Amino acid sequence: MQLFNSTRSYGAIPQTLHWLTVVLVAVAWALGVFGDVLPKGAPRETGLFIHVTAGIAILALLAARLAWRLADPSPPPETTEFATWMGKWQDPAARFAHYALYALLLAVPVVGIVLQFARGDALPLFGIAEIASPWPKDRAFAHNVKEVHEILAHALVIVAAMHAAAALIHHWIFRDRTLLRMLPHSDD
């Protein structure tokens, strides 16, 4: 198993960071959307704690992903008939999608942190410590921030779904290695 990227695929570290991010986004989004279904009291509080913790973990993974990407650049894009057909639009479109994903991976948790503080609540740091809210509770502001947080979270899931769909199209229709490059043992 290779740790670093090769010219054909991503290494184990970027693959792990990628798939952990996928899982955490799914967990955070599901708890954000369906958390109110949990019974009031400890179950709902636990759901919110996991939601917030997942958001903070997403920020940490994003920082690690960006640092790793600077240290170990991504493999070059796959060359396929599709790439020839798409011409000069493929690279900018893929780059825009990745930038949008990275921007949303940053924006959603940051706005979530602002929401936590707007509610007057402390920000739990993985159950080890917490950061007190820097300002008093403001219901109207919290309501507005919550709406922005939800819109951005839904946008993140939509862009991520489009990203996944594009990888599957590359795999099944264009039959290139785009998807395989992000899977373990892809150089086999």
Side-chain angles (χ1 to χ4, degrees):
M1 174 183 287
Q2 68 183 33
L3 292 179
F4 296 92
N5 297 333
S6 71
T7 56
R8 290 182 40 84
S9 66
Y10 289 91
I13 292 174
Q15 287 178 8
T16 301
L17 294 172
H18 175 272
W19 293 110
L20 279 174
T21 302
V22 170
V23 169
L24 288 171
V25 166
V27 166
W29 182 81
L31 284 170
V33 171
F34 303 110
D36 291 341
V37 175
L38 296 171
K40 289 185 179 181
R44 193 174 291 183
E45 289 171 16
T46 300
L48 180 60
F49 173 78
I50 293 169
H51 175 81
V52 171
T53 299
I56 294 169
I58 288 167
L59 282 176
L61 286 173
L62 178 62
R65 289 179 74 169
L66 292 172
W68 189 264
R69 196 169 180 135
L70 289 172
D72 187 22
S74 301
E78 285 289 305
T79 306
T80 63
E81 287 182 34
F82 175 71
T84 306
W85 178 72
M86 279 293 286
K88 62 184 177 179
W89 293 102
Q90 181 185 11
D91 286 343
R95 203 174 357 236
F96 175 77
H98 279 100
Y99 289 150
L101 278 170
Y102 282 120
L104 288 166
L105 286 169
L106 175 65
V108 173
V110 167
V111 173
I113 291 168
V114 171
L115 173 59
Q116 187 77 355
F117 290 154
R119 290 176 171 158
D121 297 333
L123 180 68
L125 299 175
F126 306 107
I128 299 168
E130 45 183 49
I131 300 172
S133 176
W135 58 79
K137 181 177 184 175
D138 184 339
R139 287 189 146 185
F141 179 60
H143 175 75
N144 292 336
V145 173
K146 182 179 180 186
E147 288 191 9
V148 171
H149 181 62
E150 289 173 352
I151 290 167
L152 291 173
H154 293 320
L156 172 58
V157 170
I158 290 167
V159 173
M162 291 169 52
H163 174 70
L168 292 172
I169 288 168
H170 272 275
H171 185 70
W172 285 326
I173 295 175
F174 304 125
R175 301 203 180 273
D176 64 23
R177 298 188 75 259
T178 299
L179 174 62
L180 295 176
R181 294 170 354 140
M182 192 49 81
L183 297 175
H185 307 295
S186 58
D187 261 350
D188 295 350

